[in-house]
Amino acid sequence: MSAAPPFLLIGNPGNRRVTLFQEALIRAGLPPAHVVSWETVARTPDVLLELPDTEHCVRIDAAGEDAEVERALLKRGHEDALTAGCDVVTPEQVDALPAEHGRVLCPRQHHLGFLRVLEDLAARFAQRPHWRVWSKPSAIADLFDKRITSRRYAALGIPVPPYLEDVTTPEALRHGMREAGWREVFVKLSCGSSASCLAVYRLGRTPGSEGSLLTSLHRGDTGWFNSLNVRRVSDAGEVDAVLSFLLREGSQVEQARPKARLGGDVFDCRILAVRGEPVFTVVRQSRHPITNLHLGGYRGDLDAFHAAVPPREWEAALESCRAVARAHDCLHVGIDLMFEEFFHGHRVLEANAFGDLLPGLTRDGLSVYDWELREALR
Protein backbone atom coordinates (compact mmCIF):
# COMPACT_ATOMS: atom_id res chain seq x y z
CA MET A 1 0.00 0.00 0.00
CA SER A 2 3.00 2.35 0.24
CA ALA A 3 2.64 3.22 -3.48
CA ALA A 4 -1.02 4.17 -3.13
CA PRO A 5 -2.10 7.50 -4.66
CA PRO A 6 -3.08 10.33 -2.33
CA PHE A 7 -6.56 10.28 -0.86
CA LEU A 8 -9.25 12.92 -1.17
CA LEU A 9 -12.10 12.62 1.33
CA ILE A 10 -15.35 14.55 0.97
CA GLY A 11 -16.96 14.54 4.40
CA ASN A 12 -17.59 16.56 7.54
CA PRO A 13 -14.28 17.35 9.33
CA GLY A 14 -14.33 16.11 12.89
CA ASN A 15 -17.10 13.61 12.21
CA ARG A 16 -16.41 10.11 13.51
CA ARG A 17 -16.61 8.70 9.98
CA VAL A 18 -13.76 10.94 8.87
CA THR A 19 -11.77 10.23 12.01
CA LEU A 20 -12.15 6.45 11.69
CA PHE A 21 -11.12 6.48 8.04
CA GLN A 22 -8.06 8.61 8.76
CA GLU A 23 -7.08 6.13 11.48
CA ALA A 24 -7.38 3.29 8.96
CA LEU A 25 -5.03 5.14 6.60
CA ILE A 26 -2.48 5.51 9.41
CA ARG A 27 -2.71 1.80 10.22
CA ALA A 28 -2.02 1.05 6.55
CA GLY A 29 1.09 3.24 6.61
CA LEU A 30 -0.51 5.84 4.34
CA PRO A 31 -0.62 9.63 4.71
CA PRO A 32 -3.92 11.14 5.88
CA ALA A 33 -6.52 12.10 3.31
CA HIS A 34 -7.02 15.66 2.19
CA VAL A 35 -10.51 16.50 3.51
CA VAL A 36 -12.89 18.80 1.65
CA SER A 37 -16.01 19.54 3.68
CA TRP A 38 -19.54 19.01 2.42
CA GLU A 39 -20.28 22.62 3.30
CA THR A 40 -17.49 23.75 0.96
CA VAL A 41 -18.56 21.61 -2.00
CA ALA A 42 -22.20 22.62 -1.45
CA ARG A 43 -21.33 26.30 -1.67
CA THR A 44 -18.25 26.40 -3.94
CA PRO A 45 -17.80 23.07 -5.78
CA ASP A 46 -15.08 24.54 -8.02
CA VAL A 47 -12.71 24.22 -5.07
CA LEU A 48 -12.18 20.65 -6.30
CA LEU A 49 -10.74 21.95 -9.56
CA GLU A 50 -7.96 23.63 -7.60
CA LEU A 51 -6.57 20.17 -6.85
CA PRO A 52 -4.20 18.64 -9.41
CA ASP A 53 -5.40 16.27 -12.11
CA THR A 54 -3.12 13.50 -10.95
CA GLU A 55 -4.16 10.11 -9.67
CA HIS A 56 -6.21 10.33 -6.45
CA CYS A 57 -8.44 7.94 -4.56
CA VAL A 58 -11.69 9.77 -3.80
CA ARG A 59 -13.94 8.69 -0.97
CA ILE A 60 -17.33 10.40 -0.58
CA ASP A 61 -18.69 10.04 2.94
CA ALA A 62 -22.01 10.94 4.56
CA ALA A 63 -23.16 14.56 4.69
CA GLY A 64 -25.25 14.24 7.87
CA GLU A 65 -24.75 15.35 11.48
CA ASP A 66 -23.75 18.92 10.58
CA ALA A 67 -26.10 21.90 10.95
CA GLU A 68 -24.26 24.12 8.47
CA VAL A 69 -24.34 21.42 5.80
CA GLU A 70 -28.07 21.03 6.40
CA ARG A 71 -28.54 24.76 5.85
CA ALA A 72 -26.46 24.72 2.67
CA LEU A 73 -28.38 21.77 1.21
CA LEU A 74 -31.75 23.31 2.04
CA LYS A 75 -30.72 26.44 0.16
CA ARG A 76 -29.50 24.42 -2.85
CA GLY A 77 -32.81 22.53 -2.95
CA HIS A 78 -35.13 25.53 -2.62
CA GLU A 79 -35.80 26.13 -6.33
CA ASP A 80 -36.47 22.47 -7.12
CA ALA A 81 -38.70 22.08 -4.05
CA LEU A 82 -41.04 24.84 -5.24
CA THR A 83 -42.41 22.49 -7.91
CA ALA A 84 -42.17 19.23 -5.95
CA GLY A 85 -45.34 19.56 -3.86
CA CYS A 86 -43.42 19.20 -0.60
CA ASP A 87 -42.81 21.50 2.36
CA VAL A 88 -40.56 24.44 1.44
CA VAL A 89 -38.41 26.84 3.45
CA THR A 90 -36.84 29.93 1.85
CA PRO A 91 -33.10 30.70 2.01
CA GLU A 92 -33.91 33.65 4.29
CA GLN A 93 -35.84 31.38 6.65
CA VAL A 94 -32.96 28.89 6.61
CA ASP A 95 -30.58 31.60 7.82
CA ALA A 96 -32.95 32.46 10.68
CA LEU A 97 -33.37 28.87 11.88
CA PRO A 98 -32.25 28.09 15.42
CA ALA A 99 -30.16 24.96 15.94
CA GLU A 100 -32.56 22.30 17.26
CA HIS A 101 -31.40 18.73 17.82
CA GLY A 102 -33.43 16.10 15.99
CA ARG A 103 -35.43 18.57 13.92
CA VAL A 104 -36.80 17.27 10.60
CA LEU A 105 -37.15 20.27 8.31
CA CYS A 106 -38.33 19.96 4.70
CA PRO A 107 -36.61 16.61 4.04
CA ARG A 108 -37.51 16.54 0.34
CA GLN A 109 -36.03 20.02 -0.16
CA HIS A 110 -32.90 18.89 1.69
CA HIS A 111 -32.69 15.82 -0.55
CA LEU A 112 -33.12 17.87 -3.71
CA GLY A 113 -30.24 20.07 -2.58
CA PHE A 114 -28.14 16.95 -1.95
CA LEU A 115 -28.88 15.76 -5.49
CA ARG A 116 -27.75 19.14 -6.85
CA VAL A 117 -24.45 18.84 -5.02
CA LEU A 118 -23.96 15.27 -6.28
CA GLU A 119 -24.46 16.61 -9.81
CA ASP A 120 -21.81 19.24 -9.09
CA LEU A 121 -19.42 16.53 -7.91
CA ALA A 122 -20.02 14.42 -11.01
CA ALA A 123 -19.32 17.42 -13.27
CA ARG A 124 -16.04 18.23 -11.49
CA PHE A 125 -14.95 14.60 -11.44
CA ALA A 126 -15.47 14.50 -15.21
CA GLN A 127 -12.76 17.18 -15.43
CA ARG A 128 -10.41 15.06 -13.31
CA PRO A 129 -10.24 11.78 -15.27
CA HIS A 130 -7.27 10.48 -13.25
CA TRP A 131 -9.25 10.45 -10.01
CA ARG A 132 -10.45 7.03 -8.85
CA VAL A 133 -13.86 7.69 -7.29
CA TRP A 134 -14.87 4.85 -4.98
CA SER A 135 -18.63 5.50 -5.18
CA LYS A 136 -19.97 7.41 -8.17
CA PRO A 137 -22.25 10.37 -7.37
CA SER A 138 -24.98 8.97 -9.63
CA ALA A 139 -24.92 5.68 -7.70
CA ILE A 140 -25.14 7.53 -4.38
CA ALA A 141 -28.13 9.47 -5.74
CA ASP A 142 -29.92 6.23 -6.64
CA LEU A 143 -29.17 4.69 -3.25
CA PHE A 144 -30.80 7.70 -1.58
CA ASP A 145 -34.17 6.95 -3.17
CA LYS A 146 -35.84 3.82 -1.83
CA ARG A 147 -38.43 3.92 -4.59
CA ILE A 148 -35.75 3.72 -7.28
CA THR A 149 -33.81 0.90 -5.63
CA SER A 150 -36.83 -1.22 -4.69
CA ARG A 151 -38.14 -1.18 -8.24
CA ARG A 152 -34.70 -1.81 -9.71
CA TYR A 153 -34.13 -4.83 -7.48
CA ALA A 154 -37.58 -6.22 -8.25
CA ALA A 155 -36.86 -5.89 -11.98
CA LEU A 156 -33.60 -7.83 -11.46
CA GLY A 157 -35.46 -10.66 -9.72
CA ILE A 158 -34.13 -9.79 -6.25
CA PRO A 159 -36.81 -10.48 -3.62
CA VAL A 160 -38.12 -7.27 -2.02
CA PRO A 161 -41.23 -6.55 0.04
CA PRO A 162 -44.31 -5.86 -2.12
CA TYR A 163 -44.97 -2.12 -2.42
CA LEU A 164 -47.73 0.31 -3.35
CA GLU A 165 -47.30 2.87 -6.14
CA ASP A 166 -48.07 6.61 -6.02
CA VAL A 167 -49.57 6.87 -2.54
CA THR A 168 -49.76 10.53 -1.49
CA THR A 169 -52.54 10.73 1.14
CA PRO A 170 -53.65 8.69 4.18
CA GLU A 171 -56.94 7.94 2.43
CA ALA A 172 -55.14 6.59 -0.63
CA LEU A 173 -52.89 4.53 1.66
CA ARG A 174 -55.83 2.90 3.43
CA HIS A 175 -57.57 2.22 0.12
CA GLY A 176 -54.43 0.66 -1.36
CA MET A 177 -53.89 -1.52 1.70
CA ARG A 178 -57.45 -2.82 1.64
CA GLU A 179 -57.23 -3.50 -2.10
CA ALA A 180 -53.99 -5.46 -1.54
CA GLY A 181 -55.33 -7.26 1.54
CA TRP A 182 -52.54 -5.89 3.76
CA ARG A 183 -52.97 -5.17 7.46
CA GLU A 184 -49.63 -3.44 8.11
CA VAL A 185 -47.10 -1.44 6.09
CA PHE A 186 -43.82 0.40 6.51
CA VAL A 187 -44.08 4.02 5.39
CA LYS A 188 -40.50 5.18 4.77
CA LEU A 189 -39.44 8.60 3.61
CA SER A 190 -37.87 7.56 0.30
CA CYS A 191 -34.79 9.74 0.90
CA GLY A 192 -34.52 8.98 4.62
CA SER A 193 -31.74 7.15 6.45
CA SER A 194 -31.07 5.76 9.94
CA ALA A 195 -34.84 5.26 10.42
CA SER A 196 -35.42 9.00 10.17
CA CYS A 197 -39.03 9.68 9.13
CA LEU A 198 -40.28 6.11 9.39
CA ALA A 199 -43.64 4.72 10.53
CA VAL A 200 -45.11 1.24 10.78
CA TYR A 201 -48.81 1.73 10.09
CA ARG A 202 -51.48 -0.81 11.08
CA LEU A 203 -54.82 -0.50 9.38
CA GLY A 204 -57.96 -0.20 11.46
CA ARG A 205 -60.24 -3.22 11.41
CA THR A 206 -63.25 -1.33 10.04
CA PRO A 207 -63.61 1.05 7.06
CA GLY A 208 -63.17 4.63 8.25
CA SER A 209 -60.91 3.59 11.14
CA GLU A 210 -57.53 5.36 10.97
CA GLY A 211 -55.67 2.57 12.77
CA SER A 212 -52.39 3.09 14.66
CA LEU A 213 -48.69 3.41 14.00
CA LEU A 214 -45.23 2.99 15.49
CA THR A 215 -42.85 5.86 14.83
CA SER A 216 -39.93 7.84 16.21
CA LEU A 217 -41.43 11.06 14.82
CA HIS A 218 -43.15 13.59 17.02
CA ARG A 219 -44.42 17.09 16.43
CA GLY A 220 -43.06 19.93 18.55
CA ASP A 221 -43.79 23.63 18.73
CA THR A 222 -41.48 24.37 15.78
CA GLY A 223 -42.15 21.34 13.55
CA TRP A 224 -41.33 17.64 13.31
CA PHE A 225 -38.56 15.95 15.27
CA ASN A 226 -36.92 12.55 15.37
CA SER A 227 -36.77 10.96 18.80
CA LEU A 228 -34.75 8.01 20.07
CA ASN A 229 -37.96 6.60 21.54
CA VAL A 230 -40.27 4.56 19.33
CA ARG A 231 -43.85 5.26 20.35
CA ARG A 232 -47.29 3.94 19.40
CA VAL A 233 -49.76 6.52 18.15
CA SER A 234 -53.47 5.73 18.11
CA ASP A 235 -55.08 9.18 18.11
CA ALA A 236 -56.77 9.49 14.71
CA GLY A 237 -55.70 13.08 14.13
CA GLU A 238 -52.07 12.43 15.03
CA VAL A 239 -51.96 9.23 12.95
CA ASP A 240 -53.08 11.11 9.87
CA ALA A 241 -50.77 14.05 10.63
CA VAL A 242 -47.72 11.75 10.64
CA LEU A 243 -48.85 9.89 7.52
CA SER A 244 -49.72 13.11 5.67
CA PHE A 245 -46.27 14.53 6.36
CA LEU A 246 -44.42 11.39 5.24
CA LEU A 247 -46.51 10.86 2.13
CA ARG A 248 -46.37 14.51 1.11
CA GLU A 249 -42.57 14.43 1.27
CA GLY A 250 -42.44 11.25 -0.83
CA SER A 251 -42.44 7.78 0.71
CA GLN A 252 -41.81 4.16 -0.09
CA VAL A 253 -44.84 2.17 1.13
CA GLU A 254 -44.24 -1.56 1.46
CA GLN A 255 -45.93 -4.49 3.10
CA ALA A 256 -44.71 -5.24 6.63
CA ARG A 257 -44.06 -8.95 6.36
CA PRO A 258 -43.49 -11.10 9.47
CA LYS A 259 -39.79 -11.43 10.25
CA ALA A 260 -37.93 -14.47 11.49
CA ARG A 261 -37.04 -14.54 15.18
CA LEU A 262 -33.97 -15.24 17.28
CA GLY A 263 -34.43 -15.85 20.99
CA GLY A 264 -38.02 -14.66 20.76
CA ASP A 265 -37.24 -11.26 19.22
CA VAL A 266 -37.61 -10.27 15.56
CA PHE A 267 -34.45 -9.48 13.65
CA ASP A 268 -33.00 -8.34 10.36
CA CYS A 269 -29.42 -7.87 9.12
CA ARG A 270 -27.11 -5.17 7.85
CA ILE A 271 -24.77 -6.84 5.39
CA LEU A 272 -21.86 -4.83 4.01
CA ALA A 273 -20.69 -5.78 0.53
CA VAL A 274 -17.22 -4.59 -0.54
CA ARG A 275 -16.24 -4.90 -4.20
CA GLY A 276 -19.41 -6.89 -4.77
CA GLU A 277 -18.81 -9.49 -2.08
CA PRO A 278 -20.72 -9.68 1.24
CA VAL A 279 -18.11 -9.36 3.98
CA PHE A 280 -19.54 -8.07 7.26
CA THR A 281 -22.85 -8.94 8.93
CA VAL A 282 -24.59 -7.22 11.82
CA VAL A 283 -27.69 -8.87 13.29
CA ARG A 284 -30.22 -6.32 14.59
CA GLN A 285 -32.82 -7.61 17.04
CA SER A 286 -35.80 -5.88 18.63
CA ARG A 287 -39.10 -6.54 20.37
CA HIS A 288 -40.89 -4.49 17.69
CA PRO A 289 -40.57 -4.28 13.88
CA ILE A 290 -38.16 -1.30 13.92
CA THR A 291 -34.75 -2.87 14.55
CA ASN A 292 -32.35 0.10 14.22
CA LEU A 293 -29.77 -0.04 16.98
CA HIS A 294 -30.27 3.59 18.08
CA LEU A 295 -34.03 3.02 18.43
CA GLY A 296 -33.96 0.25 20.99
CA GLY A 297 -32.60 -2.55 18.84
CA TYR A 298 -29.52 -4.51 19.84
CA ARG A 299 -26.80 -6.48 18.10
CA GLY A 300 -27.65 -10.14 17.95
CA ASP A 301 -25.21 -12.99 18.38
CA LEU A 302 -23.65 -14.00 15.06
CA ASP A 303 -23.05 -17.59 16.11
CA ALA A 304 -26.69 -18.00 17.12
CA PHE A 305 -27.73 -16.39 13.86
CA HIS A 306 -25.66 -18.74 11.69
CA ALA A 307 -26.89 -21.72 13.69
CA ALA A 308 -30.51 -20.71 13.07
CA VAL A 309 -30.42 -19.82 9.35
CA PRO A 310 -30.68 -22.83 7.02
CA PRO A 311 -27.47 -22.93 4.90
CA ARG A 312 -29.37 -22.95 1.63
CA GLU A 313 -31.35 -19.84 2.63
CA TRP A 314 -28.18 -18.07 3.79
CA GLU A 315 -26.50 -18.72 0.45
CA ALA A 316 -29.59 -17.44 -1.38
CA ALA A 317 -29.52 -14.27 0.74
CA LEU A 318 -25.82 -13.74 0.02
CA GLU A 319 -26.49 -14.09 -3.71
CA SER A 320 -29.19 -11.42 -3.44
CA CYS A 321 -26.66 -9.15 -1.73
CA ARG A 322 -24.17 -9.75 -4.56
CA ALA A 323 -26.87 -8.83 -7.08
CA VAL A 324 -27.64 -5.63 -5.18
CA ALA A 325 -23.95 -4.70 -5.09
CA ARG A 326 -23.61 -5.31 -8.83
CA ALA A 327 -26.51 -2.91 -9.44
CA HIS A 328 -24.51 0.08 -8.13
CA ASP A 329 -21.17 1.59 -9.12
CA CYS A 330 -19.87 1.70 -5.55
CA LEU A 331 -16.93 0.16 -3.72
CA HIS A 332 -19.19 -0.65 -0.77
CA VAL A 333 -22.94 -0.98 -0.24
CA GLY A 334 -24.73 -1.56 3.07
CA ILE A 335 -27.69 -3.89 2.52
CA ASP A 336 -30.59 -4.32 4.93
CA LEU A 337 -32.06 -7.78 4.61
CA MET A 338 -34.76 -9.72 6.46
CA PHE A 339 -35.62 -13.38 6.63
CA GLU A 340 -39.27 -14.32 6.42
CA GLU A 341 -40.99 -15.94 9.38
CA PHE A 342 -39.57 -19.42 10.09
CA PHE A 343 -36.81 -18.64 7.51
CA HIS A 344 -39.13 -19.31 4.59
CA GLY A 345 -37.33 -16.96 2.21
CA HIS A 346 -35.68 -13.54 2.49
CA ARG A 347 -36.24 -9.98 1.27
CA VAL A 348 -33.88 -7.08 0.60
CA LEU A 349 -35.36 -4.13 2.50
CA GLU A 350 -33.08 -1.39 1.20
CA ALA A 351 -29.46 -0.51 0.44
CA ASN A 352 -27.28 2.31 1.70
CA ALA A 353 -24.45 4.29 0.14
CA PHE A 354 -23.00 5.10 3.57
CA GLY A 355 -23.88 1.90 5.38
CA ASP A 356 -20.30 1.11 6.41
CA LEU A 357 -20.18 2.86 9.80
CA LEU A 358 -19.88 -0.36 11.82
CA PRO A 359 -17.45 0.43 14.65
CA GLY A 360 -16.02 -2.47 16.59
CA LEU A 361 -16.64 -4.96 13.79
CA THR A 362 -13.62 -6.89 12.48
CA ARG A 363 -12.90 -9.72 10.10
CA ASP A 364 -9.51 -11.42 9.89
CA GLY A 365 -8.19 -8.70 12.19
CA LEU A 366 -9.32 -5.88 9.88
CA SER A 367 -11.91 -3.21 10.64
CA VAL A 368 -14.50 -2.28 8.03
CA TYR A 369 -12.42 0.67 6.80
CA ASP A 370 -9.23 -1.43 6.84
CA TRP A 371 -10.97 -3.98 4.63
CA GLU A 372 -12.28 -1.32 2.23
CA LEU A 373 -8.79 0.17 1.89
CA ARG A 374 -7.24 -3.20 1.15
CA GLU A 375 -9.84 -4.07 -1.46
CA ALA A 376 -9.74 -0.64 -3.14
CA LEU A 377 -5.95 -0.69 -3.47
CA ARG A 378 -5.57 -4.34 -4.40
Side-chain angles (χ1 to χ4, degrees):
M1 288 193 187
S2 58
F7 277 79
L8 169 63
L9 175 57
I10 297 171
N12 292 330
N15 186 277
R16 56 183 174 162
R17 292 174 177 270
V18 171
T19 301
L20 289 170
F21 186 73
Q22 297 283 42
E23 291 172 355
L25 287 171
I26 292 170
R27 284 193 297 273
L30 297 171
H34 175 70
V35 180
V36 178
S37 71
W38 271 103
E39 184 184 2
T40 298
V41 297
R43 299 185 191 277
T44 54
D46 279 343
V47 71
L48 295 173
L49 299 181
E50 298 172 7
L51 300 173
D53 184 19
T54 55
E55 190 174 14
H56 281 70
C57 286
V58 182
R59 175 182 171 87
I60 304 173
D61 220 322
E65 301 179 354
D66 188 292
E68 291 308 311
V69 175
E70 179 186 18
R71 293 176 193 271
L73 295 181
L74 283 167
K75 289 180 179 180
R76 289 297 307 274
H78 174 251
E79 221 173 289
D80 293 332
L82 291 174
T83 59
C86 59
D87 290 353
V88 180
V89 61
T90 68
E92 294 75 23
Q93 289 170 325
V94 170
D95 286 332
L97 287 171
E100 294 184 273
H101 183 69
R103 180 186 57 205
V104 179
L105 180 67
C106 302
R108 178 60 53 185
Q109 179 176 340
H110 182 278
H111 177 64
L112 291 169
F114 181 58
L115 294 182
R116 284 288 184 184
V117 178
L118 289 175
E119 290 173 358
D120 289 343
L121 290 178
R124 274 63 182 183
F125 293 161
Q127 298 180 58
R128 292 291 182 264
H130 295 104
W131 290 4
R132 293 158 48 184
V133 182
W134 283 10
S135 297
K136 296 298 175 63
S138 58
I140 294 172
D142 286 349
L143 284 163
F144 265 83
D145 193 323
K146 296 175 176 60
R147 294 174 296 190
I148 289 175
T149 53
S150 179
R151 285 144 186 78
R152 179 179 298 176
Y153 303 156
L156 291 170
I158 301 168
V160 297
Y163 48 82
L164 297 178
E165 297 275 12
D166 302 323
V167 179
T168 57
T169 66
E171 295 76 16
L173 172 61
R174 286 188 276 271
H175 175 75
M177 291 175 67
R178 290 194 172 98
E179 287 284 306
W182 298 349
R183 182 76 196 285
E184 194 170 69
V185 294
F186 278 85
V187 183
K188 307 174 180 179
L189 187 70
S190 62
C191 58
S193 59
S194 300
S196 172
C197 299
L198 165 71
V200 183
Y201 175 62
R202 179 178 287 270
L203 192 65
R205 291 191 177 277
T206 58
S209 170
E210 284 76 6
S212 64
L213 53 80
L214 282 175
T215 187
S216 60
L217 273 176
H218 69 92
R219 187 157 52 176
D221 294 336
T222 56
W224 292 98
F225 290 81
N226 276 313
S227 165
L228 294 181
N229 297 314
V230 175
R231 64 196 181 101
R232 182 168 292 280
V233 179
S234 55
D235 175 79
E238 192 173 1
V239 166
D240 272 13
V242 172
L243 292 176
S244 294
F245 170 68
L246 294 178
L247 295 171
R248 182 172 65 249
E249 294 295 314
S251 287
Q252 164 78 354
V253 177
E254 58 192 32
Q255 184 185 23
R257 300 180 69 85
K259 294 179 178 179
R261 292 179 177 266
L262 285 176
D265 286 344
V266 297
F267 80 95
D268 57 27
C269 303
R270 164 65 57 83
I271 298 177
L272 182 69
V274 182
R275 285 187 68 179
E277 188 62 28
V279 181
F280 294 92
T281 301
V282 174
V283 178
R284 309 182 304 187
Q285 289 186 244
S286 178
R287 290 177 301 223
H288 54 68
I290 299 174
T291 59
N292 297 74
L293 301 182
H294 64 290
L295 294 177
Y298 62 96
R299 283 193 183 186
D301 183 79
L302 267 179
D303 290 336
F305 164 74
H306 284 297
V309 183
R312 181 176 296 179
E313 189 52 48
W314 178 233
E315 284 304 317
L318 291 178
E319 191 51 46
S320 289
C321 290
R322 294 184 184 102
V324 168
R326 288 194 298 268
H328 302 287
D329 195 353
C330 294
L331 173 70
H332 55 84
V333 180
I335 301 156
D336 292 347
L337 179 142
M338 63 164 278
F339 290 91
E340 302 264 23
E341 197 171 27
F342 308 116
F343 297 98
H344 293 161
H346 67 273
R347 307 268 173 167
V348 170
L349 301 173
E350 59 187 71
N352 306 271
F354 305 129
D356 59 342
L357 181 63
L358 302 171
L361 209 59
T362 61
R363 178 168 175 174
D364 299 339
L366 299 177
S367 74
V368 169
Y369 291 165
D370 295 336
W371 193 286
E372 290 175 355
L373 267 174
R374 188 191 69 179
E375 292 302 303
L377 299 176
R378 177 175 287 177

